[in-house]
Amino acid sequence: MNPAPKVPDDAKYSGRLAGRLRSLREKAGISVEQAVEGMAAAGYPIGVQTYYGWENGRRQPNWDAVPALATCLGVGIRTLIPSK
């Protein structure tokens, strides 16, 4: 049984980014595992735990990962980056 996902703090940038990543992934209709496979196919291999860390706000992706993230989620880079 998996624990309930951590709710990111929207008052912080990391929390807004985490929420955006989860929302875009769910909108794309893909699982975390499929997102990780898409990242690898886009040339930026990561582990499932790393992606979960991004979505939970515990970690933030390196700027080098942003193009691959946008590609695997099917959005532009500007859509990926949250505003205030």
Side-chain angles (χ1 to χ4, degrees):
M1 183 174 202
N2 291 334
K6 178 183 170 190
V7 177
D9 181 5
D10 287 341
K12 297 180 181 178
Y13 177 81
S14 61
R16 290 190 305 274
L17 177 61
R20 176 69 56 95
L21 290 176
R22 179 173 289 144
S23 172
L24 290 171
R25 180 182 55 76
E26 290 173 349
K27 186 176 178 181
I30 61 175
S31 67
V32 169
E33 290 79 11
Q34 290 169 317
V36 169
E37 289 171 9
M39 292 284 295
Y44 199 91
I46 59 167
V48 171
Q49 291 298 75
T50 298
Y51 194 90
Y52 273 120
W54 294 349
E55 280 197 1
N56 290 325
R58 290 189 318 262
R59 298 176 148 184
Q60 290 185 24
N62 294 332
W63 283 108
D64 294 344
V66 172
L69 261 173
T71 298
C72 84
L73 296 174
V75 298
I77 291 174
R78 288 182 184 247
T79 303
L80 191 64
I81 306 302
S83 61
K84 289 186 177 183

Coordinates of all heavy atoms in Angstrom, one line a residue:
M1 N 0.8 -1.2 0.0 CA 0.0 0.0 0.0 C 0.9 1.2 0.0 O 1.8 1.4 0.8 CB -0.9 0.0 1.2 CG -1.8 1.1 1.3 SD -2.9 0.8 2.7 CE -4.3 1.8 2.3
N2 N 0.7 2.1 -1.0 CA 1.5 3.3 -1.1 C 1.0 4.4 -0.1 O -0.3 4.6 0.0 CB 1.4 3.9 -2.5 CG 2.2 3.0 -3.5 OD1 3.1 2.3 -3.1 ND2 1.8 3.0 -4.7
P3 N 1.9 5.2 0.5 CA 1.4 6.3 1.3 C 0.8 7.4 0.4 O 1.0 7.5 -0.8 CB 2.7 6.8 1.9 CG 3.8 6.4 1.0 CD 3.3 5.1 0.4
A4 N 0.0 8.2 1.0 CA -0.6 9.4 0.3 C 0.4 10.3 -0.2 O 1.4 10.5 0.5 CB -1.6 10.1 1.2
P5 N 0.3 10.8 -1.4 CA 1.3 11.7 -1.9 C 1.4 13.0 -1.0 O 0.4 13.5 -0.5 CB 0.9 12.1 -3.3 CG -0.5 11.7 -3.4 CD -0.8 10.7 -2.3
K6 N 2.6 13.5 -0.9 CA 2.9 14.7 -0.1 C 2.3 15.9 -0.9 O 2.5 16.0 -2.1 CB 4.4 14.9 0.1 CG 4.7 16.2 0.8 CD 6.2 16.3 0.9 CE 6.6 17.7 1.3 NZ 8.0 18.0 1.2
V7 N 1.6 16.8 -0.2 CA 1.1 18.0 -0.9 C 2.1 19.1 -0.8 O 2.5 19.5 0.3 CB -0.2 18.5 -0.2 CG1 -0.7 19.7 -0.8 CG2 -1.3 17.4 -0.2
P8 N 2.6 19.6 -2.0 CA 3.6 20.6 -2.0 C 3.1 21.9 -1.5 O 1.9 22.2 -1.6 CB 4.0 20.7 -3.5 CG 3.4 19.6 -4.2 CD 2.3 19.1 -3.3
D9 N 4.0 22.7 -0.9 CA 3.7 24.1 -0.4 C 3.7 25.1 -1.6 O 4.7 25.4 -2.1 CB 4.7 24.5 0.6 CG 4.5 25.8 1.2 OD1 3.4 26.4 0.9 OD2 5.3 26.3 2.0
D10 N 2.5 25.5 -2.0 CA 2.3 26.5 -3.1 C 2.9 27.8 -2.8 O 3.0 28.7 -3.7 CB 0.8 26.6 -3.5 CG 0.3 25.4 -4.2 OD1 1.1 24.6 -4.7 OD2 -0.9 25.2 -4.3
A11 N 3.2 28.1 -1.6 CA 3.8 29.4 -1.2 C 5.3 29.5 -1.7 O 5.8 30.6 -1.8 CB 3.7 29.7 0.3
K12 N 5.9 28.4 -1.9 CA 7.3 28.3 -2.4 C 7.3 28.0 -3.9 O 6.5 27.3 -4.4 CB 8.0 27.3 -1.6 CG 8.1 27.6 -0.1 CD 8.9 26.5 0.6 CE 9.0 26.8 2.1 NZ 9.7 25.7 2.8
Y13 N 8.4 28.4 -4.5 CA 8.6 28.1 -5.9 C 8.6 26.6 -6.1 O 8.0 26.1 -7.1 CB 9.8 28.8 -6.5 CG 10.1 28.4 -7.9 CD1 9.4 29.0 -8.9 CD2 11.0 27.3 -8.2 CE1 9.6 28.6 -10.3 CE2 11.2 27.0 -9.5 CZ 10.5 27.6 -10.5 OH 10.7 27.3 -11.8
S14 N 9.3 25.9 -5.3 CA 9.5 24.5 -5.4 C 8.1 23.8 -5.3 O 7.9 22.8 -6.0 CB 10.4 23.9 -4.4 OG 9.9 24.1 -3.1
G15 N 7.2 24.3 -4.5 CA 5.9 23.7 -4.4 C 5.1 24.0 -5.6 O 4.3 23.1 -6.1
R16 N 5.2 25.2 -6.2 CA 4.4 25.5 -7.4 C 4.9 24.7 -8.6 O 4.1 24.2 -9.4 CB 4.5 27.0 -7.7 CG 3.8 27.9 -6.7 CD 3.7 29.3 -7.2 NE 4.9 30.0 -7.5 CZ 5.7 30.5 -6.6 NH1 5.4 30.6 -5.3 NH2 6.9 31.1 -6.9
L17 N 6.2 24.5 -8.6 CA 6.8 23.6 -9.7 C 6.4 22.2 -9.6 O 6.0 21.6 -10.5 CB 8.3 23.7 -9.7 CG 9.1 22.9 -10.7 CD1 8.7 23.2 -12.2 CD2 10.6 23.0 -10.6
A18 N 6.4 21.7 -8.3 CA 5.9 20.3 -8.1 C 4.5 20.1 -8.5 O 4.2 19.1 -9.2 CB 6.1 20.0 -6.6
G19 N 3.6 21.1 -8.1 CA 2.2 21.0 -8.5 C 2.0 21.0 -10.0 O 1.2 20.3 -10.6
R20 N 2.8 21.9 -10.7 CA 2.7 22.0 -12.1 C 3.2 20.7 -12.8 O 2.5 20.3 -13.7 CB 3.6 23.2 -12.6 CG 3.7 23.4 -14.1 CD 2.4 23.9 -14.7 NE 1.9 25.1 -14.1 CZ 2.2 26.4 -14.5 NH1 2.9 26.6 -15.6 NH2 1.6 27.4 -13.9
L21 N 4.2 20.1 -12.3 CA 4.7 18.9 -12.9 C 3.6 17.8 -12.8 O 3.3 17.1 -13.8 CB 6.0 18.4 -12.3 CG 7.2 19.2 -12.6 CD1 8.4 18.7 -11.8 CD2 7.5 19.2 -14.1
R22 N 3.1 17.7 -11.6 CA 2.1 16.6 -11.4 C 0.8 16.9 -12.3 O 0.3 16.0 -12.9 CB 1.6 16.6 -10.0 CG 0.5 15.5 -9.7 CD 0.2 15.3 -8.3 NE 1.4 14.6 -7.7 CZ 1.8 14.8 -6.5 NH1 1.2 15.7 -5.7 NH2 2.8 14.1 -6.0
S23 N 0.4 18.1 -12.3 CA -0.8 18.5 -13.1 C -0.6 18.2 -14.6 O -1.4 17.7 -15.3 CB -1.1 20.0 -12.9 OG -2.1 20.4 -13.7
L24 N 0.6 18.6 -15.1 CA 0.9 18.4 -16.5 C 1.0 16.9 -16.9 O 0.6 16.5 -17.9 CB 2.1 19.2 -16.9 CG 2.0 20.7 -17.0 CD1 3.4 21.3 -17.2 CD2 1.1 21.1 -18.0
R25 N 1.6 16.2 -16.0 CA 1.7 14.7 -16.2 C 0.4 14.1 -16.2 O 0.1 13.3 -17.1 CB 2.6 14.1 -15.1 CG 2.8 12.6 -15.3 CD 3.6 11.9 -14.2 NE 3.1 12.2 -12.9 CZ 2.1 11.6 -12.4 NH1 1.4 10.7 -13.1 NH2 1.7 11.8 -11.1
E26 N -0.5 14.4 -15.3 CA -1.8 13.8 -15.2 C -2.6 14.3 -16.4 O -3.4 13.5 -17.0 CB -2.5 14.2 -13.9 CG -1.9 13.5 -12.7 CD -2.5 14.0 -11.4 OE1 -3.2 15.1 -11.4 OE2 -2.2 13.4 -10.4
K27 N -2.5 15.5 -16.9 CA -3.2 16.0 -18.0 C -2.7 15.3 -19.3 O -3.5 15.0 -20.2 CB -2.9 17.5 -18.2 CG -3.7 18.1 -19.3 CD -3.5 19.6 -19.4 CE -4.3 20.3 -20.5 NZ -4.0 21.7 -20.6
A28 N -1.5 14.9 -19.3 CA -0.9 14.1 -20.5 C -1.4 12.7 -20.4 O -1.2 11.9 -21.4 CB 0.6 14.2 -20.5
G29 N -1.9 12.3 -19.3 CA -2.4 10.9 -19.1 C -1.3 9.8 -19.0 O -1.5 8.7 -19.5
I30 N -0.2 10.2 -18.4 CA 0.9 9.3 -18.3 C 1.3 9.0 -16.8 O 1.0 9.9 -16.0 CB 2.2 9.7 -19.1 CG1 2.7 11.0 -18.6 CG2 1.9 9.8 -20.6 CD1 4.0 11.5 -19.2
S31 N 1.8 7.9 -16.5 CA 2.3 7.6 -15.2 C 3.7 8.2 -15.0 O 4.3 8.6 -15.9 CB 2.3 6.0 -15.0 OG 3.4 5.5 -15.8
V32 N 4.1 8.1 -13.7 CA 5.5 8.6 -13.4 C 6.5 7.7 -14.2 O 7.4 8.2 -14.7 CB 5.7 8.5 -11.9 CG1 7.2 8.7 -11.6 CG2 4.9 9.5 -11.2
E33 N 6.2 6.4 -14.2 CA 7.1 5.5 -14.9 C 7.2 5.9 -16.4 O 8.3 5.9 -17.0 CB 6.7 4.1 -14.8 CG 6.9 3.5 -13.4 CD 5.8 4.0 -12.4 OE1 4.7 4.5 -12.8 OE2 6.0 3.7 -11.2
Q34 N 6.1 6.2 -17.0 CA 6.1 6.7 -18.4 C 6.8 8.0 -18.6 O 7.5 8.2 -19.6 CB 4.7 6.7 -19.0 CG 4.0 5.4 -19.1 CD 2.5 5.5 -19.4 OE1 1.8 6.3 -18.8 NE2 2.0 4.7 -20.3
A35 N 6.7 8.9 -17.6 CA 7.4 10.2 -17.7 C 8.9 9.9 -17.6 O 9.6 10.6 -18.4 CB 6.9 11.1 -16.6
V36 N 9.3 9.0 -16.8 CA 10.7 8.7 -16.7 C 11.2 8.1 -18.0 O 12.3 8.5 -18.4 CB 11.0 7.8 -15.5 CG1 12.4 7.2 -15.5 CG2 10.7 8.5 -14.2
E37 N 10.4 7.2 -18.6 CA 10.8 6.7 -19.9 C 10.9 7.8 -20.9 O 11.8 7.7 -21.8 CB 9.8 5.6 -20.3 CG 9.9 4.3 -19.5 CD 8.7 3.4 -19.8 OE1 8.0 3.6 -20.8 OE2 8.6 2.4 -19.1
G38 N 10.0 8.7 -20.9 CA 10.0 9.8 -21.8 C 11.2 10.7 -21.6 O 11.8 11.2 -22.6
M39 N 11.6 10.9 -20.4 CA 12.8 11.7 -20.1 C 14.0 11.0 -20.7 O 14.9 11.6 -21.3 CB 13.0 11.8 -18.6 CG 12.0 12.7 -17.9 SD 12.2 14.5 -18.2 CE 13.8 14.7 -17.3
A40 N 14.1 9.7 -20.5 CA 15.3 8.9 -21.1 C 15.3 9.0 -22.6 O 16.3 9.2 -23.2 CB 15.2 7.5 -20.6
A41 N 14.1 8.9 -23.2 CA 14.0 9.0 -24.7 C 14.4 10.4 -25.2 O 14.9 10.5 -26.3 CB 12.6 8.6 -25.1
A42 N 14.2 11.4 -24.3 CA 14.5 12.7 -24.7 C 16.0 13.1 -24.4 O 16.5 14.2 -24.6 CB 13.6 13.7 -24.0
G43 N 16.7 12.0 -23.9 CA 18.2 12.2 -23.7 C 18.5 12.6 -22.2 O 19.7 13.0 -22.0
Y44 N 17.6 12.5 -21.3 CA 17.9 12.9 -19.9 C 17.4 11.8 -19.0 O 16.3 11.9 -18.4 CB 17.3 14.2 -19.5 CG 17.9 14.9 -18.3 CD1 19.0 15.7 -18.5 CD2 17.5 14.6 -17.1 CE1 19.6 16.3 -17.4 CE2 18.0 15.2 -16.0 CZ 19.1 16.0 -16.1 OH 19.7 16.6 -15.0
P45 N 18.1 10.7 -18.9 CA 17.7 9.5 -18.0 C 17.7 9.9 -16.5 O 18.7 10.5 -16.1 CB 18.6 8.4 -18.4 CG 19.9 9.1 -18.9 CD 19.4 10.4 -19.5
I46 N 16.6 9.6 -15.8 CA 16.6 9.8 -14.4 C 15.9 8.5 -13.8 O 15.3 7.7 -14.5 CB 15.7 11.0 -14.0 CG1 14.3 11.0 -14.6 CG2 16.5 12.3 -14.5 CD1 13.4 12.0 -14.0
G47 N 15.9 8.5 -12.5 CA 15.2 7.4 -11.8 C 13.8 7.8 -11.4 O 13.5 9.0 -11.3
V48 N 13.0 6.8 -11.1 CA 11.6 7.1 -10.7 C 11.6 7.9 -9.4 O 10.8 8.8 -9.2 CB 10.8 5.7 -10.5 CG1 9.4 6.0 -9.9 CG2 10.7 5.0 -11.9
Q49 N 12.4 7.6 -8.4 CA 12.5 8.3 -7.2 C 12.8 9.8 -7.4 O 12.3 10.6 -6.7 CB 13.5 7.6 -6.2 CG 13.0 6.3 -5.7 CD 11.7 6.3 -5.0 OE1 10.6 6.5 -5.5 NE2 11.8 6.2 -3.7
T50 N 13.7 10.0 -8.3 CA 14.0 11.4 -8.6 C 12.8 12.2 -9.1 O 12.5 13.3 -8.7 CB 15.2 11.5 -9.7 OG1 16.3 10.9 -9.2 CG2 15.5 12.9 -10.1
Y51 N 12.1 11.6 -10.0 CA 10.9 12.2 -10.5 C 9.8 12.4 -9.4 O 9.2 13.5 -9.3 CB 10.2 11.4 -11.7 CG 9.2 12.3 -12.5 CD1 9.6 13.0 -13.5 CD2 7.9 12.3 -12.1 CE1 8.7 13.8 -14.2 CE2 7.0 13.1 -12.7 CZ 7.4 13.8 -13.8 OH 6.5 14.6 -14.4
Y52 N 9.6 11.4 -8.6 CA 8.7 11.6 -7.5 C 9.2 12.7 -6.6 O 8.4 13.5 -6.1 CB 8.7 10.3 -6.6 CG 7.6 9.3 -7.1 CD1 8.0 8.0 -7.5 CD2 6.3 9.6 -7.1 CE1 7.1 7.1 -7.9 CE2 5.3 8.7 -7.6 CZ 5.7 7.5 -8.0 OH 4.8 6.6 -8.4
G53 N 10.5 12.9 -6.4 CA 11.0 14.0 -5.6 C 10.7 15.3 -6.2 O 10.4 16.3 -5.5
W54 N 10.7 15.4 -7.5 CA 10.3 16.6 -8.2 C 8.9 17.0 -8.0 O 8.5 18.1 -7.7 CB 10.6 16.5 -9.7 CG 12.0 16.5 -10.1 CD1 13.1 16.7 -9.3 CD2 12.5 16.1 -11.4 NE1 14.3 16.5 -10.0 CE2 13.9 16.2 -11.3 CE3 11.9 15.8 -12.6 CZ2 14.7 15.9 -12.4 CZ3 12.7 15.5 -13.7 CH2 14.1 15.6 -13.6
E55 N 8.0 15.9 -8.1 CA 6.6 16.1 -7.9 C 6.2 16.4 -6.5 O 5.1 16.9 -6.2 CB 5.8 14.9 -8.5 CG 5.6 15.0 -10.0 CD 4.5 14.1 -10.5 OE1 3.8 13.4 -9.7 OE2 4.3 14.0 -11.7
N56 N 7.0 15.9 -5.5 CA 6.6 16.2 -4.1 C 7.3 17.4 -3.6 O 7.1 17.7 -2.4 CB 7.1 14.9 -3.3 CG 6.2 13.7 -3.6 OD1 5.0 13.9 -3.8 ND2 6.8 12.6 -3.5
G57 N 8.1 18.1 -4.4 CA 8.7 19.3 -3.9 C 10.0 19.1 -3.1 O 10.5 20.1 -2.5
R58 N 10.4 17.9 -2.9 CA 11.6 17.6 -2.1 C 12.9 17.9 -2.9 O 13.9 18.2 -2.4 CB 11.7 16.2 -1.7 CG 10.7 15.8 -0.7 CD 10.9 14.4 -0.1 NE 11.2 13.4 -1.2 CZ 10.4 12.6 -1.8 NH1 9.1 12.6 -1.4 NH2 10.8 11.7 -2.7
R59 N 12.8 17.9 -4.3 CA 13.9 18.2 -5.2 C 13.4 19.1 -6.3 O 12.2 19.1 -6.6 CB 14.4 16.9 -5.8 CG 14.9 15.9 -4.9 CD 15.3 14.6 -5.7 NE 16.4 14.0 -5.0 CZ 17.0 12.9 -5.5 NH1 16.6 12.4 -6.7 NH2 18.0 12.4 -4.9
Q60 N 14.3 19.7 -7.0 CA 14.0 20.5 -8.2 C 14.9 20.0 -9.3 O 16.0 19.7 -9.1 CB 14.2 22.0 -7.9 CG 13.3 22.6 -7.0 CD 13.5 24.1 -6.9 OE1 14.0 24.7 -7.8 NE2 13.0 24.7 -5.8
P61 N 14.3 19.9 -10.5 CA 15.1 19.4 -11.6 C 16.2 20.5 -12.0 O 16.0 21.7 -11.8 CB 14.1 19.3 -12.8 CG 12.9 20.1 -12.4 CD 12.9 20.2 -10.9
N62 N 17.3 20.0 -12.5 CA 18.4 20.9 -13.0 C 17.8 21.6 -14.2 O 17.0 21.0 -14.9 CB 19.6 20.1 -13.4 CG 20.3 19.5 -12.2 OD1 20.2 20.0 -11.1 ND2 20.9 18.3 -12.4
W63 N 18.3 22.7 -14.5 CA 17.9 23.4 -15.7 C 18.2 22.6 -17.0 O 17.4 22.7 -18.0 CB 18.6 24.8 -15.9 CG 17.9 25.8 -14.9 CD1 18.5 26.3 -13.8 CD2 16.6 26.3 -15.0 NE1 17.6 27.1 -13.2 CE2 16.4 27.2 -13.9 CE3 15.6 26.2 -16.0 CZ2 15.2 27.9 -13.7 CZ3 14.4 26.9 -15.8 CH2 14.3 27.8 -14.7
D64 N 19.2 21.7 -16.9 CA 19.5 20.8 -18.1 C 18.3 19.9 -18.4 O 18.2 19.4 -19.5 CB 20.7 20.0 -17.8 CG 22.0 20.9 -17.8 OD1 21.9 22.1 -18.2 OD2 23.0 20.4 -17.3
A65 N 17.5 19.6 -17.3 CA 16.4 18.6 -17.5 C 15.2 19.2 -18.1 O 14.3 18.5 -18.5 CB 16.1 18.0 -16.1
V66 N 15.1 20.6 -18.0 CA 13.8 21.2 -18.4 C 13.4 20.9 -19.9 O 12.2 20.6 -20.1 CB 13.9 22.8 -18.2 CG1 12.7 23.5 -18.7 CG2 14.0 23.0 -16.7
P67 N 14.3 21.0 -20.9 CA 13.8 20.6 -22.2 C 13.3 19.2 -22.3 O 12.3 19.0 -23.0 CB 15.1 20.8 -23.1 CG 15.9 21.8 -22.3 CD 15.7 21.5 -20.9
A68 N 13.9 18.2 -21.7 CA 13.5 16.9 -21.7 C 12.1 16.7 -21.0 O 11.2 16.0 -21.4 CB 14.5 15.9 -21.1
L69 N 12.0 17.4 -19.9 CA 10.7 17.4 -19.1 C 9.6 18.0 -20.0 O 8.5 17.4 -20.1 CB 10.8 18.3 -17.9 CG 11.0 17.7 -16.6 CD1 11.3 18.7 -15.5 CD2 9.9 16.7 -16.2
A70 N 9.8 19.1 -20.7 CA 8.8 19.7 -21.6 C 8.5 18.7 -22.7 O 7.3 18.5 -23.0 CB 9.3 21.0 -22.1
T71 N 9.4 18.0 -23.2 CA 9.2 17.1 -24.3 C 8.4 15.9 -23.9 O 7.4 15.5 -24.5 CB 10.5 16.6 -24.9 OG1 11.3 17.7 -25.4 CG2 10.3 15.6 -26.0
C72 N 8.7 15.3 -22.7 CA 8.0 14.1 -22.3 C 6.6 14.4 -21.8 O 5.7 13.6 -21.9 CB 8.8 13.4 -21.2 SG 8.6 14.0 -19.5
L73 N 6.4 15.7 -21.4 CA 5.0 16.1 -21.0 C 4.2 16.7 -22.1 O 3.0 17.0 -21.9 CB 5.1 17.1 -19.8 CG 5.7 16.5 -18.5 CD1 5.9 17.6 -17.5 CD2 4.9 15.3 -18.0
G74 N 4.9 16.9 -23.2 CA 4.2 17.4 -24.4 C 3.8 18.9 -24.3 O 2.7 19.3 -24.8
V75 N 4.6 19.7 -23.7 CA 4.3 21.1 -23.5 C 5.6 21.9 -23.9 O 6.7 21.4 -24.0 CB 3.9 21.4 -22.1 CG1 2.6 20.7 -21.7 CG2 5.0 21.1 -21.1
G76 N 5.4 23.2 -24.0 CA 6.5 24.1 -24.2 C 7.2 24.4 -22.9 O 6.6 24.2 -21.8
I77 N 8.4 24.9 -22.9 CA 9.2 25.2 -21.7 C 8.5 26.2 -20.9 O 8.4 26.2 -19.7 CB 10.7 25.6 -22.1 CG1 11.4 24.4 -22.6 CG2 11.4 26.1 -20.9 CD1 12.8 24.7 -23.1
R78 N 8.0 27.3 -21.5 CA 7.3 28.3 -20.8 C 6.1 27.8 -20.0 O 5.7 28.3 -19.0 CB 6.8 29.4 -21.7 CG 8.0 30.3 -22.2 CD 7.5 31.4 -23.1 NE 8.6 32.1 -23.7 CZ 8.8 33.4 -23.4 NH1 8.1 34.0 -22.5 NH2 9.9 34.0 -23.9
T79 N 5.4 26.8 -20.6 CA 4.3 26.2 -19.9 C 4.7 25.5 -18.6 O 4.0 25.4 -17.6 CB 3.5 25.2 -20.8 OG1 3.1 26.0 -22.0 CG2 2.3 24.6 -20.1
L80 N 5.9 24.9 -18.7 CA 6.4 24.1 -17.6 C 6.8 24.9 -16.4 O 6.6 24.5 -15.2 CB 7.7 23.3 -18.1 CG 8.2 22.3 -17.3 CD1 7.2 21.1 -17.1 CD2 9.5 21.8 -17.9
I81 N 7.3 26.1 -16.6 CA 7.8 27.0 -15.5 C 6.6 27.7 -14.9 O 5.9 28.5 -15.6 CB 8.8 27.9 -16.0 CG1 10.0 27.2 -16.7 CG2 9.4 28.8 -14.9 CD1 10.7 26.2 -15.9
P82 N 6.4 27.6 -13.6 CA 5.2 28.2 -12.9 C 5.5 29.7 -12.7 O 6.7 30.1 -12.5 CB 5.1 27.5 -11.6 CG 6.4 27.0 -11.3 CD 7.1 26.7 -12.6
S83 N 4.5 30.5 -12.7 CA 4.6 31.9 -12.4 C 4.2 32.1 -10.9 O 3.9 31.1 -10.2 CB 3.7 32.7 -13.3 OG 2.3 32.3 -13.1
K84 N 4.2 33.3 -10.5 CA 3.9 33.6 -9.1 C 2.5 33.2 -8.7 O 1.6 33.1 -9.5 CB 4.2 35.0 -8.7 CG 5.6 35.3 -8.7 CD 5.9 36.7 -8.3 CE 7.4 37.0 -8.2 NZ 7.7 38.3 -7.7

